[in-house]
Amino acid sequence: MIYERPLTQHIHINRQPLNLKEYEAKGGYAAVRKAVKEMTPQEVQKAVQDSNLKGRGGAGFNTGIKWSFVPMGSDAPHPKYLICNADEMEPGTFKDRLLLEGNPHQLLEGMILAAYAIQADISYVFLRWAYKKAAALIKQSIAEAYAAGYLGQNILNSGWSLDMHLHTGVGRYMCGEETALLNALEGKRATPRAKPPFPQVSGLFGKPSIVNNVETLCCIPHIINNGADWFKKLSFTEDAGTKLYGVSGKVKRPGVWELPMGTTMRELLEEHAGGMRNGLMMRGVLPGGASTDFLTPAHLDTRLDYQSVAIAGSRLGTGTMIVMDDATCPVGFVHNLQHFFAQESCGWCTPCREGLPWVEKILLSLEHGEGTQADIDMLQMHTQLLGPGNTFCALAPGAMEPLQSALKYFMEDFERHAHEKGCPYVHEAVASSEW
Amino acid sequence: MVAEPHIQTTAKSFLTQQEKDAINHEVSLLPYKKAAVIEALKIVQQHRRWVSDDAVAAIAAYLDMSTAEVDSVATFYNLIFRKPVGRHIILLCDSISCYVMGYQKLYEAIQHELKIKFGETTKDKKFTLLPNACLGCCDHAPALMIDEDLYRDIEAEDVRNILETYT
Ligand SMILES: Cc1cc2nc3c(=O)[nH]c(=O)nc-3n(C[C@H](O)[C@H](O)[C@H](O)COP(=O)(O)O)c2cc1C
Ligand code: SF4
């Protein structure tokens, strides 16, 4: 069965993305025309809310409802800001890159619609530095959109004006957390902010702001063109739309595919990714990036939507999964993740700043044969100490998700490291933090 | 006669007109000067390849900030270089998908070719090698970037050929 894939229909690997004229010829910017001519901002908000689009950046909050907290009307503070979160740094995540490089005008159209819905004056694409090709394309596309009158003063004679800028970052995973991103845009260290006040009310430079993920924004033109019901019907389950699912690790065909929301993990791994490479078995999967709990082969029939993955004990997160095969050491795997999180901790709060390096060291000592049963207990304790509610932002609890589930599913591996005084797996070269 | 402290003299004359113009442009897009500090650091690094103590002091003076404030921002972001770097920067992804796919073999091959470890620069100042968090092409792991060029699906055997294309 062939399913619709609105977000990637015009994306062809190895071909240049559509320029503005070509994009218009395929129906591009029709949604902007429709919205600014026929719809009020509130109607755009309502359409998105009714579509049940949930944020694709990881947290999965209803996008239309998120927008509805922005003050509207003549006494609302200005300028208001609309920011596209294109920081994509969650290890194992590579879906936004496809949308950015494959169809930049689709993203711009989504941003213009979102900005119209909240009556924003200024918009930013916050792009991670590594996406050089995307940076050039976005810059070019913004210039084209200005020239065509979709950006700038008095857009399509509506009386509404919007400016758009590209901001490229200078590293750090934390820039992807939405309040830390606002600090980075203000020229500060990317540490998160206390909420409330929420960014919708007091965000960038203290003004009302919305931060949305690339994939979230790319859904908007299609919702405006085709309606909320159409969007809901794209999905197999309650959570609406399609989803960009990715698979990396030792599968036959790693990649990223746009599929109906709620596609099963089995279909994704076996049909699209082609199953495991010869001679290997799957032991575990991080279903939505580095900061999600492991699922196991027992969960293969789980539907990949927000609710079903939560019931299975993990999170859909970014929808890009990392497969752990049976020749890869779970302790080494988790150590690599904790090394990343320890390094990327912004240092703002104590449990995360002090706890993560501690966790990383314990895992490394287990790998080196210096760990004991007491160390495993210590790891267990840290999953509580760094868990939800004890830290300022979601980085540390996110880091604990793969650790706590590894301790649950792969405890025998941890114990073997302690009892056999070393790693029972073959390592082809030195581990990541021996430098 | 008392000489003016070193930092103050350099702060006044350090930035070139070209750098100042670029910083002024960024400032013009923002509600206040200080907000342009990351852009200013990027601009200076683009022209000089790294950000020295004198550069930090100059940016601080130019944007009416303290040097400590500028440095706290400069040292937060891993792609602002506060030490001299080589002509080419190798960023080797050491995150999870590349770990599973064996980036360690690439690291060994680079060490073998260039005799440098992570954080080091070759004696001829040609290459600096840095570890890097996920490059966002996990379906083509292992991956590395040299300057603006992305290399994907690489084997240890490819490393020498890749490095040889840089002068
Ligand atoms: C440490 C951390 C890193 C994050 N990185 C990203 C990111 O790179 N891209 C992204 O869209 N969201 C990221 N998020 C989630 C954002 O905080 C935010 O929820 C999201 O951008 C909202 O957009 P959405 O509602 O469209 O999903 C991150 C969150 C945390 C805690
Ligand atoms: S949890 Fe970690 S990343 Fe988040 S604020 Fe605390 S120290 Fe920073």
Side-chain angles (χ1 to χ4, degrees), chain A residues 54-61 63 66 85-90 95-96 173-179 181 195 211-214 216-217 393-395:
Chain A
K54 291 182 178 168
R56 306 296 198 232
F61 193 76
T63 305
K66 180 167 168 173
N85 190 344
D87 195 51
E88 190 158 74
M89 263 189 80
E90 178 80 16
K95 67 179 181 73
D96 294 341
Y173 173 56
M174 269 307 287
C175 292
E177 196 281 337
E178 66 179 32
T179 61
L181 184 152
K195 294 191 243 184
V211 179
N212 274 136
N213 172 259
V214 172
T216 310
L217 290 163
C393 87
L395 183 139

Side-chain angles (χ1 to χ4, degrees), chain A residues 11-138:
Chain A
I11 298 181
H12 303 280
I13 301 210
N14 303 328
R15 226 193 279 166
Q16 277 294 309
L18 304 177
N19 64 25
L20 186 129
K21 283 273 161 298
E22 293 161 345
Y23 181 67
E24 282 179 325
K26 304 263 186 204
Y29 288 108
V32 168
R33 289 180 182 281
K34 177 174 173 184
V36 302
K37 294 204 167 130
E38 298 167 23
M39 297 171 83
T40 63
Q42 282 76 7
E43 283 168 347
V44 176
Q45 287 193 16
K46 178 87 175 29
V48 173
Q49 193 171 327
D50 289 347
S51 78
N52 198 20
L53 168 65
K54 291 182 178 168
R56 306 296 198 232
F61 193 76
N62 180 300
T63 305
I65 295 180
K66 180 167 168 173
W67 293 354
S68 71
F69 298 117
V70 174
M72 300 291 285
S74 54
D75 52 357
H78 281 272
K80 295 193 240 178
Y81 294 95
L82 182 277
I83 299 144
C84 168
N85 190 344
D87 195 51
E88 190 158 74
M89 263 189 80
E90 178 80 16
T93 302
F94 48 98
K95 67 179 181 73
D96 294 341
R97 184 198 275 272
L98 180 74
L99 296 169
L100 290 158
E101 293 180 355
N103 197 353
H105 278 295
Q106 173 175 254
L107 172 64
L108 263 51
E109 185 174 15
M111 287 178 68
I112 295 168
L113 288 164
Y116 178 74
I118 61 161
Q119 290 289 289
D121 310 273
I122 303 176
S123 56
Y124 283 98
V125 180
F126 190 101
L127 183 70
R128 69 172 298 194
W129 65 274
Y131 288 3
K132 305 287 183 194
K133 186 173 163 194
L137 288 166
I138 300 270

Side-chain angles (χ1 to χ4, degrees), chain A residues 255-372:
Chain A
V256 53
W257 301 270
E258 182 183 9
L259 298 168
M261 178 71 84
T263 297
T264 64
M265 193 153 91
R266 185 185 299 284
E267 179 182 332
L268 181 63
L269 287 172
E270 293 178 1
E271 285 180 37
H272 301 282
M276 299 303 290
R277 290 192 184 179
N278 290 342
L280 292 172
M281 304 255 285
M282 183 249 253
R283 278 202 79 195
V285 162
L286 302 179
S291 49
T292 57
D293 279 281
F294 274 101
L295 294 179
T296 66
H299 299 108
L300 273 172
D301 292 312
T302 303
R303 289 199 174 275
L304 296 169
D305 62 34
Y306 296 96
Q307 207 185 349
S308 314
V309 179
I311 290 168
S314 185
R315 286 189 305 121
L316 180 61
T318 60
T320 40
M321 52 177 60
I322 307 145
V323 177
M324 186 175 78
D325 56 85
D326 60 347
T328 297
C329 169
V331 178
F333 187 102
V334 175
H335 170 259
N336 176 277
L337 296 173
Q338 300 307 322
H339 172 71
F340 166 82
F341 288 116
Q343 212 161 43
E344 296 298 328
S345 163
C346 79
W348 186 251
C349 60
T350 316
C352 174
R353 180 185 61 237
E354 306 297 323
L356 285 174
W358 195 245
V359 165
E360 186 200 341
K361 284 201 181 89
I362 293 175
L363 289 162
L364 192 63
S365 71
L366 280 165
E367 277 285 84
H368 285 171
E370 292 148 8
T372 61

Side-chain angles (χ1 to χ4, degrees), chain A residues 156-292:
Chain A
L156 306 176
N157 288 321
S158 63
W160 171 65
S161 305
L162 177 70
D163 277 313
M164 190 179 286
H165 309 289
L166 170 67
H167 177 100
T168 47
V170 266
R172 289 311 283 264
Y173 173 56
M174 269 307 287
C175 292
E177 196 281 337
E178 66 179 32
T179 61
L181 184 152
L182 298 175
N183 278 339
L185 272 177
E186 288 184 14
K188 298 177 184 151
R189 290 164 74 97
T191 49
R193 297 177 179 179
K195 294 191 243 184
F198 287 89
Q200 289 98 317
V201 179
S202 174
L204 190 61
F205 299 113
K207 302 292 186 192
S209 306
I210 284 288
V211 179
N212 274 136
N213 172 259
V214 172
E215 186 183 349
T216 310
L217 290 163
C218 288
C219 293
I220 313 288
H222 305 288
I223 294 171
I224 298 304
N225 281 329
N226 303 314
D229 285 334
W230 167 86
F231 190 73
K232 284 188 194 158
K233 284 195 196 115
L234 292 172
S235 161
F236 289 146
T237 57
E238 288 288 290
D239 293 326
T242 59
K243 180 78 196 77
L244 264 69
Y245 294 110
V247 181
S248 67
K250 288 188 178 157
V251 293
K252 289 205 180 101
R253 288 191 302 273
V256 53
W257 301 270
E258 182 183 9
L259 298 168
M261 178 71 84
T263 297
T264 64
M265 193 153 91
R266 185 185 299 284
E267 179 182 332
L268 181 63
L269 287 172
E270 293 178 1
E271 285 180 37
H272 301 282
M276 299 303 290
R277 290 192 184 179
N278 290 342
L280 292 172
M281 304 255 285
M282 183 249 253
R283 278 202 79 195
V285 162
L286 302 179
S291 49
T292 57

Side-chain angles (χ1 to χ4, degrees), chain A residues 388-400:
Chain A
N390 295 331
T391 61
F392 203 78
C393 87
L395 183 139
M400 291 304 102

